[in-house]
Amino acid sequence: MKDVHLFLLAALLTALVPVCHADPLVSDDPSHDAGQRFLLQTWDGDSMWNSIVKYRGRSATEPLAEYSQRMLEEMIDEEAAADVDALSYCLFTAFWSDLPDSKLTDLFPWRPAGVDDAGIDPIRVLMDRCRHHNIQFIADIRMNDRHGVPPNGIMKEHPEWALFGGAWDYAFDGVRQAMLDFTKEVLDTYDVDGIEYDYMRWCHMFQRGEGAQHAHLLTDFMRKSRRLLDEAAQRRGCERILLGVRVPQLIGECEHLGFDIATWINEGLVDYVVPSEFFHTDTNMKTEDFVKLTEGTDCKVYPAIHNQISMDAPNEHYKLMTQANFRAAAQNFYAFGAHGISPYNYQRAWGRRFAAEVRAASYACYMWPAALGWLRELRDPAEMAEQDRHYLFYALHKKRQTVGGYPSDENIYLNPGNEVLEGSRRFRMAEDFSDTRLRATMQFKVLGLTDSGGHRNVRSKGDRLEIRINDAVVPPEYVTIVYDKHPDEFRNGQSVFEGDPLPEFHEYVIDLNWETTGRQQPLIFGDNILTVRLLPPEAETKGEVSIEELECYVYVRKERSGRK
């Protein structure tokens, strides 16, 4: 009988110990092929659910709180169907949070309708549904959101800690301690699988230009965060609770801002790094710069993908990434060592559901949940290799700096005042061009050339641009030039619904299948160089000439079975 009592006591104690779900960020689902990559979905707080929970109708007989809970669970069900491995959910921004009992923050002004009155915790709803589907749940914390909100929570008592734009200066011990205290509140309240520090919102932790000199303060903060997670893991009987960071995609920019990524990785402080542009997918990202830092460690690299293409207009334009665009970006990331990808602000794919002012078809309502299905394909490099890929090399911030203060414009600009009217730019394509199934087409837009007399396929004054790809001159017989001008001047160029607003332009299209010329097309695996030279005296310009919106489309030909 004594043995039976001991057995029952042991079983009871085991049941009371919280289970640790924070295994390493690799999939343990036997249905996942070993060659597949990790998919870390990051949600911008209520942007995850407001298009569905807030704007979809409900039965008049269903209680509001039950409806909200059901919709949240259905959204996680769709994430599971898309093969998402982990969900990073933003539960803190600008000292607002989803923690009702927090002593440091005010409660988010946006919450699923009815849940608070009914005593339902939406974080637990999301977390429990993730566990149901074997999806890791990670608490995302925005480190210095600058959406222009007034001070919230504890920060109302400390105006002396203000940075700029509603952010807070991490040079103050009190700011760093407040963030540590909130991290502890999260760990004490929820058995999350990990914490993610989103430094991309909004990059600056210190006064502009002072990041590098204060890097040691952030590194100390990261060490203390790691200790908090390790202590929580010990209490829960876990081996480890994950810590991830979302940082700028340029190592130099990270160092400028005070993010000592190398030390964070080498000391084992972080389990994954998400290099990211602020709002856009950068197909040209040098993923290997981060991967090299992780060599010999367990740290993973998950580059970010975003729906938007660039932010050159005064207001964001409405053209979004397509599935072929995402394939191209993921192809580049994986080829240079990425262990997975991390979608961000992905709700824009179906934003028309909740943003009535957005009139572009790109934001089609029906893309929920279809756009999530795109992600399932992106985790499988072998499957992507069988589909077309569309590479975009746009200026992410035309003639402007990144949010972190770095230039991000790779367009070519030719100034008539220069002695040599030539410029070059890099573009990355992780493609095996010896594969005879592949066909590639390049196009770019040239602004500033005068009309040469026609409106289509303009060649009346000869070729005004010499184009070289990796120092190989492009044969003119493989170039098509289209002059984009309409008799109605108000219909010239490109509208905000087509991309970045542009005046009239010449569109150059290059067919890169040169076998009939006896020459091999010049594209190579990895980084390529496009060089454009303006040829005077034939060239007539309206001042500066710019080469913009470089694109390359890779078509994968399929062989017909049984045909020779």
Side-chain angles (χ1 to χ4, degrees), residues 354-374:
F354 61 93
E357 71 277 8
V358 176
R359 303 295 299 179
S362 299
Y363 286 77
C365 297
Y366 56 78
M367 286 310 295
W368 168 266
L372 286 177
W374 295 357

Side-chain angles (χ1 to χ4, degrees), residues 303-542:
I305 60 170
H306 306 254
N307 285 106
Q308 288 194 248
I309 291 172
S310 68
M311 193 190 289
D312 292 345
N315 297 308
E316 305 152 20
H317 71 60
Y318 302 137
K319 189 176 179 182
L320 299 183
M321 298 280 283
T322 67
Q323 190 170 12
N325 297 148
F326 282 132
R327 289 189 201 117
Q331 177 102 341
N332 276 355
F333 299 156
Y334 295 155
F336 287 88
H339 305 93
I341 57 172
S342 180
Y344 195 96
N345 271 330
Y346 201 69
Q347 76 282 353
R348 291 178 175 272
W350 54 86
R352 183 85 171 110
R353 280 179 176 255
F354 61 93
E357 71 277 8
V358 176
R359 303 295 299 179
S362 299
Y363 286 77
C365 297
Y366 56 78
M367 286 310 295
W368 168 266
L372 286 177
W374 295 357
L375 301 178
R376 184 183 184 98
E377 180 191 79
L378 296 182
R379 67 192 315 282
D380 189 340
E383 183 176 351
M384 288 196 312
E386 299 301 315
Q387 308 299 326
D388 294 358
R389 295 169 292 278
H390 186 185
Y391 292 81
L392 300 179
F393 305 103
Y394 286 24
L396 302 180
H397 305 270
K398 191 186 300 182
K399 292 189 175 181
R400 292 190 288 127
Q401 295 180 329
T402 64
V403 174
Y406 260 52
S408 62
D409 185 351
E410 294 187 273
N411 286 340
I412 298 174
Y413 297 99
L414 306 178
N415 191 318
N418 296 339
E419 183 176 348
V420 179
L421 299 178
E422 180 177 292
S424 300
R425 63 151 302 158
R426 177 185 70 92
F427 63 101
R428 171 169 289 191
M429 299 180 70
E431 298 285 352
D432 177 10
F433 289 105
S434 67
D435 186 343
T436 57
R437 299 179 306 157
L438 302 187
R439 284 291 182 267
T441 303
M442 172 187 288
Q443 76 170 36
F444 53 81
K445 293 165 186 172
V446 183
L447 282 65
L449 293 178
T450 58
D451 183 358
S452 56
H455 297 308
R456 293 292 184 270
N457 298 329
V458 182
R459 290 188 182 276
S460 60
K461 293 195 175 184
D463 294 323
R464 290 172 287 173
L465 294 180
E466 179 189 80
I467 305 166
R468 301 198 306 274
I469 301 174
N470 299 326
D471 282 334
V473 176
V474 176
E477 61 267 33
Y478 280 80
V479 180
T480 300
I481 307 171
V482 178
Y483 185 45
D484 191 287
K485 184 174 182 178
H486 193 275
D488 181 350
E489 63 176 325
F490 295 105
R491 296 171 66 183
N492 284 342
Q494 181 169 277
S495 76
V496 69
F497 297 106
E498 300 169 291
D500 296 325
L502 298 176
E504 60 192 68
F505 57 84
H506 292 77
E507 187 163 25
Y508 279 68
V509 185
I510 304 171
D511 297 304
L512 289 161
N513 52 324
W514 299 2
E515 286 84 352
T516 57
T517 67
R519 287 174 284 184
Q520 186 178 6
Q521 66 82 25
L523 292 173
I524 62 173
F525 177 96
D527 289 337
N528 294 263
I529 301 296
L530 170 68
T531 302
V532 176
R533 183 184 182 96
L534 191 61
L535 298 176
E538 292 85 357
E540 296 180 13
T541 70
K542 299 177 181 178

Side-chain angles (χ1 to χ4, degrees), residues 241-296:
I241 297 175
L242 302 167
L243 178 58
V245 291
R246 190 168 297 263
V247 296
Q249 63 188 32
L250 300 171
I251 295 293
E253 186 171 4
C254 288
E255 293 172 347
H256 171 74
L257 292 166
F259 310 146
D260 187 356
I261 308 298
T263 297
W264 300 356
I265 293 172
N266 289 335
E267 291 190 7
L269 306 180
V270 296
D271 298 279
Y272 68 86
V273 177
V274 180
S276 175
E277 216 287 320
F278 185 78
F279 224 45
H280 317 102
T281 299
D282 186 3
T283 307
N284 246 0
M285 182 191 298
K286 289 191 173 183
T287 310
E288 67 273 20
D289 290 348
F290 289 87
V291 173
K292 288 176 182 176
L293 297 179
T294 69
E295 291 177 357

